[in-house]
């Protein structure tokens, strides 16, 4: 059985502290376990991106693969928020803001993420409890 069936996949920068904190936040607020994860540095992520004809990507993207469609940057973040528990769903209302404005804010944060939040030397290794939420 394919464990990615009926799941949305989030690809993230595995060495970014902000990105790792975001993944932990999503896991904590994803009661239905809708999401699986892979770092953009992983072979699994590269393979998934190639399957979706994404040949060039940047490590500062967050990528959501949902219903066999790719979403990136602010659109991915907002689409993720609408599947989280409680009031976080309300963040999806920001989707009405034009993409170029949302992505300007996203790009500003992404450009400064290492300076503001730091960076690890290697990708995080999920705990035994969370291993099944990650694609190797």
């Amino acid at each position: 059985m394919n464990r990615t069936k009926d799941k949305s996949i989030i690809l993230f920068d595995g060495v970014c502290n902000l990105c790792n904190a975001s993944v932990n936040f999503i896991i904590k607020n994803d009661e239905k376990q809708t999401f699986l994860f892979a770092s953009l540095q992983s072979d699994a992520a590269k393979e998934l991106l190639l399957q979706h004809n994404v040949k060039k990507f940047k490590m500062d993207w967050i990528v959501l693969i949902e219903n066999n469609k790719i979403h990136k940057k602010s659109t991915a973040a907002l689409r993720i928020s609408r599947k989280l528990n409680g009031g976080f769903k309300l963040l999806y209302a920001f989707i009405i803001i034009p993409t170029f404005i949302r992505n300007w804010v996203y790009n500003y944060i992404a450009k400064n993420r290492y300076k503001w939040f730091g960076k690890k030397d290697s990708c995080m290794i999920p705990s035994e409890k969370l291993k099944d939420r990650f694609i190797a």
Side-chain angles (χ1 to χ4, degrees):
M1 186 175 149
N2 183 358
R3 73 185 190 106
T4 62
K5 188 178 181 337
D6 300 324
K7 298 284 185 182
S8 297
I9 301 169
I10 297 173
L11 308 178
F12 66 99
D13 180 354
V15 297
C16 167
N17 287 338
L18 173 62
C19 305
N20 282 295
S22 298
V23 166
N24 288 327
F25 176 83
I26 293 166
I27 289 169
K28 181 180 174 186
N29 291 283
D30 178 24
E31 282 179 355
K32 296 178 183 175
Q33 296 190 3
T34 304
F35 300 108
L36 295 176
F37 304 89
S39 74
L40 284 165
Q41 290 87 346
S42 70
D43 290 338
K46 291 172 187 149
E47 185 178 319
L48 285 164
L49 290 168
L50 282 174
Q51 287 174 11
H52 289 86
N53 295 317
V54 178
K55 293 179 177 78
K56 290 185 179 183
F57 64 94
K58 292 188 176 186
M59 285 296 166
D60 66 358
W61 290 1
I62 184 169
V63 177
L64 173 66
I65 303 172
E66 179 181 55
N67 299 323
N68 212 28
K69 188 172 180 192
I70 293 274
H71 305 282
K72 62 186 180 198
K73 297 184 177 188
S74 65
T75 302
L78 292 173
R79 292 183 72 89
I80 291 165
S81 74
R82 75 181 179 160
K83 292 186 177 180
L84 298 179
N85 305 342
F88 298 110
K89 292 172 179 20
L90 299 175
L91 293 172
Y92 187 70
F94 288 106
I95 202 80
I96 65 169
I97 296 172
T99 306
F100 76 94
I101 295 171
R102 287 188 281 115
N103 280 345
W104 182 88
V105 173
Y106 180 95
N107 289 336
Y108 182 75
I109 294 168
K111 179 181 167 185
N112 292 290
R113 72 193 190 283
Y114 293 152
K115 181 171 39 173
W116 295 341
F117 300 99
K119 174 180 174 178
K120 298 180 184 315
D121 291 328
S122 61
C123 293
M124 75 177 235
I125 298 172
S127 68
E128 202 59 43
K129 180 180 173 187
L130 295 177
K131 226 173 210 179
D132 63 332
R133 300 288 303 274
F134 287 79
I135 301 169

